[in-house]
Amino acid sequence: MGVAVATPAAAFNADGSRGGIPAQPETEQQKRAPRYRETEHVRAFYRTNRS
């Protein structure tokens, strides 16, 4: 029995390259922006996965 690994299909080619799509550098504003947001979806995940 094999193990399936999911990867984002649009992000990389099979050889690991990005298909000629250049990386987008972050602006200073993006670097300082908060990245974590506790949305209702996140709260539902925490609620259903408590020990």
Side-chain angles (χ1 to χ4, degrees), residues 32-48:
R32 298 183 196 302
R35 298 179 190 271
Y36 178 84
R37 292 186 182 101
E38 191 171 320
T39 61
E40 182 56 37
H41 179 264
V42 172
R43 285 189 288 272
F45 175 82
Y46 290 151
R47 230 182 359 263
T48 58

Side-chain angles (χ1 to χ4, degrees), residues 22-36:
Q24 296 288 334
E26 285 186 318
T27 64
E28 285 300 316
Q29 184 179 11
Q30 289 170 326
K31 288 179 185 177
R32 298 183 196 302
R35 298 179 190 271
Y36 178 84

